[in-house]
Amino acid sequence: LGPDEQFTVLSLSGGKPKKQGQIKSLSMSLGPDFMTDIIVVETSDHARLQIQLSYNWKFDVGSRSVEDASSIFQVPDFVGDACKAIASRVRAAVAASSFDDFHRHSADIIRAAVFGKDERGHVRDVFLFPSNKLAITNIDIQ
């Protein structure tokens, strides 16, 4: 560090389900890594389910420019932000499905909700957060 620079402590969400400020860190990995969250969803016929999801992630800073590298710090708690965004998408997709349909096709419903579909109707491979270039590359339903 230079004489005019200082450390910044990162405060990230942790635990299952995610809670703010559970992890304090001086460094941030670019990935690949994974995070796990537990969310409660409700189907269209009012069945409440608790789902544990694990997400593989990495920061997609391919060009190595200063702007790209500094963009990973644009979201103070990237773990909490990503988990909230993904949980919201999953809750919306499950709410549109009956319990029976969700039970049979849970992996397809969740993957389509998280990654979205392209113009041909195929599930995309990556869910990218443009603000900080966080890329969710896979999801595991447990």
Side-chain angles (χ1 to χ4, degrees):
L1 291 177
D4 61 331
E5 297 176 321
Q6 58 185 334
F7 287 108
T8 301
V9 177
L10 300 171
S11 179
L12 303 173
S13 294
K16 292 183 254 181
K18 293 291 178 249
K19 293 179 192 161
Q20 288 183 330
Q22 297 295 305
I23 300 171
K24 306 286 188 213
S25 179
L26 289 176
S27 66
M28 187 161 65
S29 169
L30 295 178
D33 206 344
F34 73 96
M35 56 186 141
T36 302
D37 197 13
I38 294 175
I39 61 173
V40 176
V41 296
E42 187 171 334
T43 62
S44 62
D45 47 357
H46 306 292
R48 293 178 64 93
L49 306 165
Q50 182 172 300
I51 307 171
Q52 181 169 309
L53 303 173
S54 291
Y55 319 113
N56 292 81
W57 63 267
K58 66 179 180 177
F59 284 104
D60 194 13
V61 288
S63 71
R64 304 283 186 234
S65 72
V66 174
E67 290 88 23
D68 277 354
S70 64
S71 70
I72 67 172
F73 298 104
Q74 295 300 313
V75 178
D77 181 7
F78 75 93
V79 173
D81 187 57
C83 286
K84 284 179 196 171
I86 293 169
S88 175
R89 287 174 167 235
V90 170
R91 282 188 191 102
V94 174
S97 305
S98 69
F99 174 78
D100 194 41
D101 187 44
F102 180 70
H103 183 69
R104 283 193 214 133
H105 308 287
S106 60
D108 295 332
I109 291 168
I110 291 172
R111 288 186 60 77
V114 172
F115 296 115
K117 292 187 176 184
D118 62 17
E119 57 279 347
R120 291 179 284 149
H122 297 105
V123 176
R124 292 186 175 102
D125 294 327
V126 175
F127 175 34
L128 182 68
F129 291 86
S131 59
N132 63 348
K133 300 197 178 2
L134 177 66
I136 304 298
T137 56
N138 193 22
I139 187 165
D140 183 36
I141 301 107
Q142 300 165 345

